[in-house]
Coordinates of all heavy atoms in Angstrom, one line a residue:
W69 N -23.9 -15.1 -0.7 CA -24.9 -14.7 -1.7 C -25.6 -13.4 -1.3 O -25.7 -12.5 -2.1 CB -25.9 -15.8 -1.9 CG -27.1 -15.5 -2.7 CD1 -28.4 -15.7 -2.4 CD2 -27.1 -15.0 -4.1 NE1 -29.2 -15.3 -3.5 CE2 -28.4 -14.9 -4.5 CE3 -26.1 -14.6 -4.9 CZ2 -28.8 -14.4 -5.8 CZ3 -26.4 -14.1 -6.2 CH2 -27.7 -14.0 -6.6
Q70 N -25.9 -13.3 0.0 CA -26.5 -12.0 0.4 C -25.5 -10.8 0.2 O -25.9 -9.8 -0.2 CB -26.9 -12.1 1.9 CG -27.5 -10.9 2.5 CD -27.9 -11.0 3.9 OE1 -27.9 -12.1 4.5 NE2 -28.2 -9.9 4.6
L71 N -24.2 -11.0 0.6 CA -23.2 -10.0 0.4 C -23.1 -9.6 -1.0 O -23.0 -8.4 -1.4 CB -21.9 -10.5 1.0 CG -20.7 -9.5 0.8 CD1 -20.9 -8.3 1.6 CD2 -19.4 -10.2 1.2
C72 N -23.0 -10.6 -1.9 CA -22.8 -10.3 -3.3 C -24.0 -9.5 -3.9 O -23.8 -8.6 -4.8 CB -22.6 -11.6 -4.1 SG -21.0 -12.3 -3.8
Q73 N -25.2 -9.9 -3.5 CA -26.4 -9.1 -3.9 C -26.3 -7.7 -3.5 O -26.6 -6.8 -4.3 CB -27.7 -9.8 -3.4 CG -28.0 -11.1 -4.1 CD -29.3 -11.7 -3.5 OE1 -29.3 -12.1 -2.3 NE2 -30.3 -11.8 -4.3
E74 N -25.9 -7.5 -2.3 CA -25.8 -6.1 -1.7 C -24.7 -5.3 -2.5 O -24.8 -4.1 -2.6 CB -25.4 -6.1 -0.2 CG -26.5 -6.7 0.6 CD -26.1 -6.9 2.1 OE1 -24.9 -6.8 2.3 OE2 -26.9 -7.3 2.9
M75 N -23.7 -6.0 -3.0 CA -22.6 -5.4 -3.7 C -22.9 -5.3 -5.2 O -22.0 -4.9 -6.0 CB -21.3 -6.1 -3.5 CG -20.9 -6.1 -2.0 SD -19.3 -6.9 -1.7 CE -18.2 -5.6 -2.4
G76 N -24.1 -5.7 -5.7 CA -24.4 -5.5 -7.1 C -23.9 -6.7 -7.9 O -23.5 -6.5 -9.1
F77 N -23.8 -7.9 -7.4 CA -23.2 -9.1 -8.0 C -24.4 -10.1 -8.1 O -24.5 -11.0 -7.3 CB -22.1 -9.6 -7.2 CG -21.1 -10.5 -7.9 CD1 -19.9 -10.8 -7.3 CD2 -21.4 -11.1 -9.1 CE1 -19.0 -11.7 -7.9 CE2 -20.5 -11.9 -9.8 CZ -19.3 -12.2 -9.2
P78 N -25.3 -9.9 -9.1 CA -26.6 -10.6 -9.0 C -26.7 -12.0 -9.6 O -27.7 -12.6 -9.5 CB -27.5 -9.6 -9.7 CG -26.7 -9.0 -10.8 CD -25.3 -8.9 -10.2
D79 N -25.7 -12.4 -10.3 CA -25.7 -13.7 -11.0 C -25.4 -14.8 -10.0 O -24.3 -15.0 -9.6 CB -24.7 -13.7 -12.2 CG -24.9 -14.9 -13.1 OD1 -25.2 -16.0 -12.5 OD2 -24.7 -14.8 -14.3
Q80 N -26.5 -15.6 -9.7 CA -26.3 -16.6 -8.6 C -25.3 -17.7 -9.0 O -24.5 -18.1 -8.3 CB -27.6 -17.2 -8.3 CG -27.6 -18.1 -7.0 CD -29.0 -18.5 -6.6 OE1 -29.9 -18.5 -7.3 NE2 -29.1 -19.0 -5.3
N81 N -25.4 -18.2 -10.3 CA -24.5 -19.2 -10.7 C -23.1 -18.7 -10.8 O -22.2 -19.5 -10.5 CB -25.0 -19.7 -12.1 CG -26.2 -20.6 -12.1 OD1 -26.6 -21.0 -11.0 ND2 -26.8 -20.8 -13.2
Q82 N -22.9 -17.5 -11.1 CA -21.5 -16.9 -11.1 C -21.0 -16.8 -9.7 O -19.8 -17.1 -9.5 CB -21.6 -15.5 -11.8 CG -20.2 -14.9 -12.0 CD -20.2 -13.6 -12.6 OE1 -21.2 -13.2 -13.3 NE2 -19.2 -12.8 -12.5
V83 N -21.8 -16.5 -8.8 CA -21.4 -16.5 -7.4 C -21.0 -17.9 -6.9 O -20.0 -18.1 -6.2 CB -22.5 -15.8 -6.5 CG1 -22.1 -16.0 -5.0 CG2 -22.7 -14.4 -6.8
I84 N -21.9 -18.8 -7.2 CA -21.6 -20.2 -6.8 C -20.2 -20.7 -7.4 O -19.4 -21.3 -6.7 CB -22.7 -21.2 -7.3 CG1 -24.0 -20.9 -6.5 CG2 -22.3 -22.6 -7.1 CD1 -25.2 -21.6 -7.0
R85 N -20.1 -20.4 -8.7 CA -18.8 -20.9 -9.3 C -17.6 -20.2 -8.8 O -16.6 -20.8 -8.5 CB -18.9 -20.6 -10.8 CG -17.7 -21.0 -11.6 CD -17.9 -20.8 -13.1 NE -16.7 -21.2 -13.8 CZ -15.7 -20.3 -14.2 NH1 -15.8 -19.0 -13.9 NH2 -14.7 -20.7 -14.9
T86 N -17.7 -18.9 -8.6 CA -16.5 -18.1 -8.1 C -16.2 -18.5 -6.7 O -15.0 -18.6 -6.3 CB -16.8 -16.6 -8.2 OG1 -17.2 -16.3 -9.5 CG2 -15.5 -15.8 -8.0
L87 N -17.2 -18.7 -5.9 CA -17.0 -19.1 -4.5 C -16.2 -20.5 -4.4 O -15.3 -20.6 -3.7 CB -18.3 -19.3 -3.7 CG -18.3 -19.8 -2.3 CD1 -17.4 -18.9 -1.4 CD2 -19.7 -19.9 -1.7
W88 N -16.6 -21.4 -5.3 CA -16.0 -22.7 -5.3 C -14.6 -22.7 -5.9 O -13.7 -23.4 -5.3 CB -16.9 -23.7 -6.1 CG -16.4 -25.1 -6.1 CD1 -15.7 -25.7 -7.1 CD2 -16.4 -26.0 -4.9 NE1 -15.3 -27.0 -6.7 CE2 -15.7 -27.2 -5.4 CE3 -16.9 -25.9 -3.7 CZ2 -15.6 -28.3 -4.5 CZ3 -16.7 -27.1 -2.8 CH2 -16.1 -28.2 -3.3
I89 N -14.4 -22.1 -7.0 CA -13.1 -22.2 -7.7 C -12.1 -21.2 -7.3 O -10.9 -21.4 -7.5 CB -13.3 -22.2 -9.2 CG1 -13.6 -20.8 -9.7 CG2 -14.2 -23.2 -9.7 CD1 -13.6 -20.6 -11.2
L90 N -12.5 -20.1 -6.6 CA -11.5 -19.0 -6.3 C -11.6 -18.6 -4.8 O -10.6 -18.7 -4.1 CB -11.7 -17.8 -7.2 CG -10.8 -16.6 -6.9 CD1 -9.4 -16.9 -7.0 CD2 -11.2 -15.4 -7.8
W91 N -12.8 -18.0 -4.4 CA -12.8 -17.4 -3.1 C -12.5 -18.4 -2.0 O -11.7 -18.1 -1.1 CB -14.2 -16.8 -2.9 CG -14.5 -15.6 -3.8 CD1 -13.6 -14.8 -4.4 CD2 -15.8 -15.2 -4.2 NE1 -14.2 -13.9 -5.2 CE2 -15.6 -14.1 -5.1 CE3 -17.1 -15.6 -4.0 CZ2 -16.7 -13.4 -5.7 CZ3 -18.1 -15.0 -4.6 CH2 -17.9 -13.9 -5.4
L92 N -13.1 -19.6 -2.0 CA -12.8 -20.6 -1.0 C -11.4 -21.1 -1.0 O -10.7 -21.1 0.0 CB -13.9 -21.7 -1.1 CG -15.0 -21.8 -0.1 CD1 -15.9 -22.9 -0.4 CD2 -14.5 -21.8 1.3
P93 N -10.9 -21.7 -2.1 CA -9.6 -22.2 -2.1 C -8.5 -21.2 -1.8 O -7.5 -21.5 -1.1 CB -9.4 -22.8 -3.5 CG -10.4 -22.2 -4.3 CD -11.6 -21.9 -3.4
L94 N -8.7 -19.9 -2.2 CA -7.8 -18.9 -1.9 C -7.7 -18.6 -0.4 O -6.7 -18.4 0.2 CB -8.1 -17.6 -2.7 CG -7.2 -16.4 -2.4 CD1 -5.8 -16.6 -2.6 CD2 -7.7 -15.2 -3.2
T95 N -8.9 -18.5 0.2 CA -9.0 -18.3 1.6 C -8.3 -19.4 2.4 O -7.6 -19.2 3.4 CB -10.5 -18.1 2.1 OG1 -11.1 -17.1 1.3 CG2 -10.5 -17.8 3.6
L96 N -8.6 -20.6 2.0 CA -7.9 -21.8 2.7 C -6.4 -21.8 2.5 O -5.7 -22.1 3.5 CB -8.5 -23.1 2.2 CG -10.0 -23.3 2.5 CD1 -10.5 -24.6 1.9 CD2 -10.3 -23.3 4.0
Q97 N -6.0 -21.3 1.4 CA -4.5 -21.2 1.2 C -3.9 -20.1 2.1 O -2.8 -20.3 2.6 CB -4.3 -20.8 -0.3 CG -2.9 -21.0 -0.8 CD -2.7 -20.7 -2.3 OE1 -3.2 -19.7 -2.8 NE2 -2.1 -21.7 -3.0
L98 N -4.6 -19.0 2.3 CA -4.2 -18.0 3.2 C -4.1 -18.4 4.6 O -3.2 -18.1 5.4 CB -5.1 -16.7 3.1 CG -5.1 -15.9 1.8 CD1 -6.1 -14.8 1.8 CD2 -3.7 -15.4 1.5
V99 N -5.1 -19.2 5.0 CA -5.1 -19.8 6.4 C -3.9 -20.7 6.6 O -3.2 -20.7 7.6 CB -6.4 -20.5 6.6 CG1 -6.3 -21.4 7.9 CG2 -7.6 -19.5 6.8
A100 N -3.7 -21.6 5.6 CA -2.5 -22.5 5.7 C -1.2 -21.7 5.8 O -0.3 -22.1 6.5 CB -2.5 -23.4 4.5
E101 N -1.1 -20.6 5.0 CA 0.1 -19.8 5.0 C 0.3 -19.1 6.3 O 1.4 -19.0 6.9 CB 0.1 -18.8 3.9 CG 1.3 -18.0 3.6 CD 2.4 -18.9 3.0 OE1 2.1 -20.0 2.5 OE2 3.6 -18.4 3.0
R102 N -0.8 -18.6 6.9 CA -0.8 -18.0 8.2 C -0.3 -19.0 9.3 O 0.5 -18.6 10.1 CB -2.2 -17.5 8.6 CG -2.4 -17.1 10.1 CD -1.6 -15.9 10.4 NE -1.7 -15.4 11.8 CZ -1.0 -15.8 12.8 NH1 -0.1 -16.8 12.6 NH2 -1.2 -15.3 14.0
Q103 N -0.8 -20.2 9.2 CA -0.3 -21.2 10.2 C 1.2 -21.6 10.0 O 1.9 -21.8 11.0 CB -1.2 -22.5 10.0 CG -2.6 -22.3 10.4 CD -3.5 -23.5 10.0 OE1 -3.1 -24.3 9.2 NE2 -4.7 -23.5 10.6
K104 N 1.6 -21.6 8.7 CA 3.0 -21.9 8.4 C 3.9 -20.9 8.9 O 5.0 -21.2 9.5 CB 3.1 -22.1 6.9 CG 4.5 -22.4 6.4 CD 4.5 -22.5 4.9 CE 5.9 -22.5 4.3 NZ 5.9 -22.5 2.8
L105 N 3.6 -19.6 8.7 CA 4.5 -18.5 9.1 C 4.5 -18.2 10.5 O 5.4 -17.5 11.1 CB 4.2 -17.2 8.2 CG 4.5 -17.3 6.8 CD1 4.1 -15.9 6.1 CD2 6.0 -17.6 6.5
E106 N 3.3 -18.6 11.2 CA 3.1 -18.3 12.6 C 3.2 -16.8 12.9 O 3.7 -16.3 13.9 CB 4.2 -19.0 13.5 CG 4.0 -20.5 13.3 CD 5.0 -21.3 14.2 OE1 6.0 -20.7 14.7 OE2 4.7 -22.5 14.5
R107 N 2.7 -16.0 12.0 CA 2.6 -14.5 12.2 C 1.5 -14.1 11.2 O 1.2 -14.8 10.2 CB 3.9 -13.8 12.0 CG 4.4 -13.9 10.5 CD 5.5 -12.8 10.3 NE 6.1 -12.9 9.0 CZ 5.5 -12.6 7.8 NH1 4.3 -12.1 7.8 NH2 6.2 -12.7 6.7
P108 N 1.0 -12.8 11.3 CA 0.1 -12.3 10.3 C 0.7 -12.2 9.0 O 1.9 -11.9 8.9 CB -0.2 -10.9 10.9 CG 0.0 -11.0 12.4 CD 1.2 -11.9 12.5
I109 N -0.1 -12.5 7.9 CA 0.5 -12.4 6.6 C -0.2 -11.3 5.8 O -1.4 -10.9 6.1 CB 0.3 -13.7 5.8 CG1 -1.2 -14.1 5.6 CG2 1.0 -14.9 6.6 CD1 -1.4 -15.2 4.6
V110 N 0.5 -10.8 4.8 CA -0.1 -9.7 4.0 C -0.2 -10.2 2.5 O 0.7 -10.6 1.9 CB 0.9 -8.4 4.0 CG1 0.3 -7.3 3.1 CG2 1.1 -7.9 5.4
Q111 N -1.5 -10.2 2.1 CA -1.8 -10.6 0.7 C -2.0 -9.4 -0.1 O -3.0 -8.6 0.1 CB -3.1 -11.5 0.7 CG -3.6 -11.8 -0.7 CD -2.8 -12.7 -1.5 OE1 -2.6 -13.9 -1.2 NE2 -2.2 -12.2 -2.6
G112 N -1.2 -9.2 -1.1 CA -1.3 -8.1 -2.0 C -2.3 -8.5 -3.1 O -2.2 -9.6 -3.6

Side-chain angles (χ1 to χ4, degrees):
W69 174 229
Q70 181 179 348
L71 174 66
C72 288
Q73 286 178 296
E74 293 169 356
M75 299 183 73
F77 199 166
D79 187 325
Q80 189 173 19
N81 287 346
Q82 187 177 339
V83 171
I84 291 172
R85 177 176 181 266
T86 310
L87 176 59
W88 181 257
I89 70 169
L90 176 62
W91 294 332
L92 255 179
L94 175 59
T95 305
L96 295 177
Q97 194 174 53
L98 292 175
V99 167
E101 190 70 12
R102 168 65 178 90
Q103 295 170 343
K104 176 183 172 184
L105 291 181
E106 298 184 342
R107 66 160 174 79
I109 66 167
V110 180
Q111 171 70 67

